[in-house]
Amino acid sequence: MLSSSQLKDFAERGFLLLPQAVPPELVTAASQFIDETIERDPPGAGVRGPHFYFPETDKAPSLLNVLTETPVFSTAEALTGPGTLDVPWQVQIALNIPPFPHRPGSHHLDGGSPCEPDGRPGTFTMLVGVLMSGQLSDDEGNLWVWPGTHLTHAEYFRGHGPDAFFEAAGYPPITLPEPERIHGRAGDVLLAHYLLGHNIGGNTSDAVRRALYFRVKRSGHDPRWREFLQDPWLDYDPVRLIAG
């Protein structure tokens, strides 16, 4: 499903972009669900920038289908191992409403606040992002990523201990490389390591940026979250073989 060069690229950069991984008919069905969600609960008239909805996947089959009724889920498992990932119970509908002339000053990791009911941080294995609108140029609501920071974050937590996650509150103080903005068309898919630093970009276009985000875990991830923060390949057996 993934070539050795793609596995190596993920190992080094922490993410992959899969062009047109979701067929148009499933994009259309998911878009209709998003339209209906917005119609029922529209953002306020003055809302600009990010606006989110978090439906449960068993109540939003047209959204879950873009993950499980396409090669996307099995491609994600090509990074973690066959049969290793749990189907997520929730999906995020992420809007970016213009005009939003924003430049992220830094990165973040998801799950910093609030913590889960059992007190652990909200870590997971992989962020699966499905572009639901075109973002071919800069400043169209693109997600920003900092390549290689999955490795730098793991190094930071090895040095400071995994409980340093709580003090960092989602913003570990690491040295950052130059960021990249994710470009693509509706139906393109981003597979990103949980430890990859990322953030919301600005939108100065004429259109609302739309995306779906699935936070996917490998089975048994939660009890091993401390080990995972220090070992980036704990949940990624095939990538470990490539990374060495």
Side-chain angles (χ1 to χ4, degrees), residues 23-38:
E25 61 271 19
L26 293 186
V27 171
T28 298
S31 295
Q32 182 176 348
F33 183 95
I34 295 171
D35 291 340
E36 293 168 353
T37 300
I38 295 171

Side-chain angles (χ1 to χ4, degrees), residues 65-78:
N65 285 348
V66 306
L67 179 69
T68 58
E69 299 301 315
T70 67
V72 174
F73 198 71
S74 61
T75 302
E77 288 194 324

